């Protein structure tokens, strides 16, 4: 014997079954068409994305920008096809588009810092003020560019530290790019009794044959000025950034040894004290 409660539930299930059956009969062609449109859209999105990535690779565009643009195009195509598929089965997409717009506005306001970093990352990749392997200095931080991401640029220094700089702090700022080498400037004083041309000759020969000095850029050696101590000499040369301090110390030691072996005196401050007896 079927109780009234069970009978009521069976009637409700029968009503749901009839509703689903009528919906499938009425909209079966629309559902199949919407599904085919969506599947075709996925295929087109994948093809277009690969084509864009291939063209970027052909023109040697940075891989980070290539992946970003190709994925963005793929997502946009899928969203457009999804809207078309929904409209095919009679679902109004106008409220959905409005809701997506409102959500996007809210997300944009909440994530404006992150979006600013991404926009700056695209600018860096397109304009290429530096590339991986260059030595840059920005806002007092310097190092070799290890990786350029859309959100941040990663540097490493000689101490092995990793420095993460948000891209929004790079674009629009004063940027120093010394590529793969860095300048060393050294000053010292020679006695006024020293022949400066001889000293310049000794230092030039040493720097021209030193394996730690970058030889593509000619070192500069000359008289920087004159003071109470002696002739102020200035030496400028380039060394690889990744071993900046190691090479700088070795080259400076070699400069000192070369001057000493050549009998050239490095002047130092001397204070004379006169004692007057009464």
């Amino acid at each position: 014997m079927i109780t009234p409660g069970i009978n009521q539930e069976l009637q409700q299930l029968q009503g749901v079954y009839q509703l689903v059956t009528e919906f499938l009969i009425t909209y079966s062609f629309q559902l199949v068409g919407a599904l085919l449109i969506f599947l075709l859209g996925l295929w087109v999105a994948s093809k277009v994305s690969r084509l864009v990535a291939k063209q970027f690779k052909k023109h040697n565009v940075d891989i980070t920008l290539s992946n970003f643009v190709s994925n963005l195009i793929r997502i946009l195509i899928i969203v457009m096809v999804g809207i078309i598929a929904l409209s095919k089965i009679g679902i109004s997409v106008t409220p959905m588009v409005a809701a997506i717009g409102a959500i996007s506005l809210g997300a944009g306001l909440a994530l404006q810092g992150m979006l600013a970093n991404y926009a700056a990352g695209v600018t860096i990749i397109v304009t290429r003020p530096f590339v991986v392997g260059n030595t840059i200095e920005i806002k007092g931080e310097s190092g070799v560019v290890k990786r350029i991401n859309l959100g941040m640029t990663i540097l490493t220094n000689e101490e092995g530290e990793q420095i993460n700089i948000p891209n929004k702090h790079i674009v629009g700022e004063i940027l120093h790019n010394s590529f793969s080498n860095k300048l060393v400037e050294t000053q010292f004083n020679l006695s006024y009794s020293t022949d400066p041309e001889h000293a310049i000759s000794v230092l030039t020969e040493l720097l021209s044959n030193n394996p730690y000095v970058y030889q593509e850029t000619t070192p500069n050696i000359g008289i920087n000025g004159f003071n109470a101590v002696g002739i102020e000499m200035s030496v400028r040369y380039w060394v690889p950034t990744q071993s900046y301090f190691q090479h700088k110390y070795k080259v400076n030691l070699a400069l000192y040894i070369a001057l000493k072996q050549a009998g050239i005196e490095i002047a130092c401050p001397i204070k004379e004290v006169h004692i007057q007896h009464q």
Side-chain angles (χ1 to χ4, degrees):
M1 181 177 179
I2 301 176
T3 62
I6 297 177
N7 187 39
Q8 185 178 2
E9 291 180 359
L10 290 175
Q11 289 178 353
Q12 290 177 350
L13 288 174
Q14 185 176 5
V16 171
Y17 173 77
Q18 290 177 348
L19 181 63
V20 172
T21 303
E22 290 176 359
F23 178 82
L24 291 176
I25 294 174
T26 305
Y27 296 101
S28 58
F29 288 105
Q30 289 89 335
L31 287 173
V32 172
L35 180 60
L36 290 177
I37 290 173
F38 188 71
L39 293 176
L40 180 62
L42 291 178
W43 180 80
V44 171
S46 178
K47 286 291 184 180
V48 173
S49 175
R50 291 177 184 175
L51 179 62
V52 171
K54 185 177 179 180
Q55 290 298 317
F56 277 19
K57 183 177 180 181
K58 180 179 178 181
H59 292 87
N60 296 320
V61 177
D62 190 274
I63 185 65
T64 306
L65 179 62
S66 173
N67 291 339
F68 174 75
V69 174
S70 59
N71 288 331
L72 179 61
I73 292 175
R74 181 172 177 271
I75 293 172
L76 289 176
I77 293 176
I78 291 175
V79 170
M80 292 174 60
V81 171
I83 293 174
I84 295 172
L86 289 174
S87 64
K88 183 69 177 176
I89 57 177
I91 298 177
S92 177
V93 296
T94 303
M96 188 180 301
V97 171
I100 292 175
I103 293 172
S104 300
L105 178 60
L109 293 175
L111 303 175
Q112 57 183 342
M114 184 182 297
L115 295 176
N117 284 326
Y118 285 152
V122 172
T123 302
I124 291 171
I125 294 169
V126 172
T127 59
R128 301 175 72 87
F130 56 84
V131 295
V132 173
N134 284 174
T135 301
I136 65 170
E137 181 178 348
I138 182 77
K139 285 194 168 183
E141 300 291 342
S142 63
V144 179
V145 179
K146 181 180 179 182
R147 191 163 64 250
I148 304 172
N149 297 329
L150 282 175
M152 68 178 61
T153 296
I154 301 175
L155 311 180
T156 57
N157 58 21
E158 195 171 350
E159 287 73 33
E161 297 175 330
Q162 178 173 298
I163 305 170
N164 299 333
I165 304 179
N167 287 330
K168 67 179 180 180
H169 294 305
I170 297 177
V171 174
E173 298 291 338
I174 297 175
L175 173 72
H176 297 266
N177 187 353
S178 57
F179 301 95
S180 58
N181 298 284
K182 194 172 182 179
L183 178 67
V184 177
E185 294 187 83
T186 303
Q187 287 86 31
F188 54 89
N189 293 300
L190 297 179
S191 171
Y192 278 111
S193 61
T194 302
D195 179 6
E197 291 184 346
H198 178 49
I200 292 173
S201 175
V202 171
L203 297 177
T204 300
E205 182 178 358
L206 179 124
L207 293 176
S208 299
N209 297 290
N210 193 292
Y212 301 117
V213 177
Y214 179 66
Q215 298 297 333
E216 296 296 324
T217 303
T218 305
N220 301 122
I221 307 168
I223 298 175
N224 193 51
F226 305 92
N227 53 51
V229 178
I231 304 172
E232 185 180 277
M233 303 295 295
S234 179
V235 179
R236 300 170 42 135
Y237 57 91
W238 297 79
V239 297
T241 305
Q242 292 182 329
S243 54
Y244 174 78
F245 289 102
Q246 296 179 29
H247 288 183
K248 173 184 176 180
Y249 298 154
K250 291 178 180 178
V251 173
N252 284 346
L253 176 61
L255 292 174
Y256 172 77
I257 294 174
L259 291 173
K260 188 175 181 180
Q261 290 177 347
I264 299 173
E265 180 183 357
I266 297 178
C268 61
I270 298 176
K271 181 180 290 186
E272 294 185 1
V273 179
H274 298 275
I275 301 175
Q276 190 174 24
H277 296 278
Q278 296 183 355

